[in-house]
Amino acid sequence: MRIVLIGAGRLATHLGPALKGAGHEIVQVYSRTAEAASALATAVSAEPVTDIDRVTREADVYICALKDSVLPTLLPQLCKGREEALFLHTAGSVPLQVFEGYARRYGVLYPMQTFSKERRLDFSEIPVFIEAESATTFPVVESLASSVSQNVRPLSSADRRYLHLSAVFACNFVNHCYDLAGQLLQEHGIPFDTLLPLIDETARKVHELSPRQAQTGPAVRYDENVINAQSQLLNGLSKDIYDLLSRSIHECSSQSEASEPVIVSSLQN
């Protein structure tokens, strides 16, 4: 397929080479920033474009990998005069219906992964969630997604919102806790890599146990002596986060205990 990438950010930086590697032709890369457009265009042998009016009308697919807030303002201009093309967006929280009234054929191609330009990923291992406006368009979106990923799944806009929200908890919030931990360590001259074995084992455990089963620490049993002592070492938002998470962990653990069946011994004295 002949593809135009609308956006040259972190996701597009990974998706573009994956599409090219799958045999698709990346015709153009559009970005408002010339440097970003040129960097990605060079990587995928495409033409960099910074003016939306210069985006070709000859492509088969236009993939919008943009900030959620930018997409609705760009679509009227982008879709005009391209009635036969397929338009896709890659956002977790933007509904399929954002294209209504602008495009005839459209869908969603949402790769659920955290992307950084500095790190290479095997795109074939990334789960990609797809949706389309019709049963006719769906196989085209599925084929395109399957050309870059071995894990393609249909998912509605309504459910995709919750998937994206869960990803925020599992990735962004967890990484922020790494940052808070790193700041504490730095203040006391302890290198962050001291935590890496702990971080790695925590991630490995949830491949075999549920997150609730894998939970450890003073908040599970609500050891107030430890919790209060640690809380007093903090201030501001860090203290609020610590207190709130400790309470949440304890409440979740208490719910698990309450739901477990009571085992009564059959042995009688």
Side-chain angles (χ1 to χ4, degrees):
M1 292 184 178
R2 288 168 53 81
I3 298 171
V4 172
L5 291 175
I6 306 297
R10 287 173 293 186
L11 192 158
T13 297
H14 289 269
L15 180 57
L19 289 165
K20 179 177 172 57
H24 302 288
E25 180 185 358
I26 312 300
V27 183
Q28 290 179 328
V29 174
Y30 165 82
S31 175
R32 291 178 298 178
T33 306
E35 183 178 359
S38 295
L40 181 52
T42 298
V44 296
S45 305
E47 176 191 8
V49 179
T50 56
D51 183 351
I52 197 67
D53 290 329
R54 290 192 56 226
V55 172
T56 180
R57 296 179 185 273
E58 303 303 319
D60 303 308
V61 185
Y62 296 81
I63 300 179
C64 302
L66 302 163
K67 290 182 180 179
D68 293 3
S69 58
V70 175
L71 188 58
T73 62
L74 196 66
L75 288 182
Q77 195 171 359
L78 176 64
C79 297
K80 187 176 181 180
R82 299 177 174 89
E83 288 76 13
E84 299 305 314
L86 172 62
F87 291 86
L88 303 173
H89 77 65
T90 59
S93 294
V94 177
L96 172 71
Q97 290 73 23
V98 71
F99 290 109
E100 282 186 358
Y102 302 118
R104 188 175 64 83
R105 300 170 63 227
Y106 52 87
V108 177
L109 191 155
Y110 169 52
M112 193 193 66
Q113 186 53 276
T114 174
F115 295 100
S116 297
K117 288 186 177 181
E118 301 80 9
R119 280 185 57 81
R120 289 194 173 192
L121 296 172
D122 182 351
F123 211 98
S124 67
E125 297 178 352
I126 297 173
V128 176
F129 296 86
I130 60 172
E131 191 178 11
E133 104 290 335
S134 70
T136 303
T137 301
F138 185 87
V140 182
V141 180
E142 185 177 37
S143 176
L144 180 63
S146 297
S147 72
V148 294
S149 171
Q150 297 175 9
N151 188 354
V152 176
R153 312 181 194 184
L155 195 68
S156 69
S157 291
D159 288 338
R160 194 173 66 255
R161 291 184 305 163
Y162 289 99
L163 176 64
H164 190 219
L165 175 59
S166 72
V168 169
F169 273 99
C171 175
N172 305 126
F173 288 176
V174 169
N175 191 70
H176 181 60
C177 287
Y178 294 161
D179 186 32
L180 295 178
Q183 292 175 43
L184 283 171
L185 292 174
Q186 187 176 24
E187 289 169 4
H188 297 278
I190 305 171
F192 182 77
D193 62 13
T194 304
L195 292 179
L196 292 181
L198 175 65
I199 291 170
D200 292 343
E201 173 57 15
T202 303
R204 280 194 293 264
K205 279 202 296 186
V206 295
H207 285 263
E208 301 176 11
L209 304 173
S210 73
R212 195 163 292 185
Q213 289 174 320
Q215 188 70 60
T216 61
V220 172
R221 58 189 183 277
Y222 214 73
D223 187 330
E224 293 189 62
N225 290 331
V226 175
I227 291 171
N228 290 336
Q230 291 186 337
S231 181
Q232 289 171 15
L233 297 174
L234 301 166
N235 53 62
L237 278 177
S238 294
K239 176 178 171 60
D240 293 341
I241 292 169
Y242 178 91
D243 292 343
L244 184 60
L245 285 177
S246 293
R247 189 162 69 249
S248 179
I249 290 169
H250 178 63
E251 288 180 359
C252 288
S253 298
S254 298
Q255 291 169 9
S256 294
E257 290 174 2
S259 64
E260 289 178 358
V262 176
I263 300 175
V264 180
S265 176
S266 61
L267 296 176
Q268 300 294 327
N269 293 330

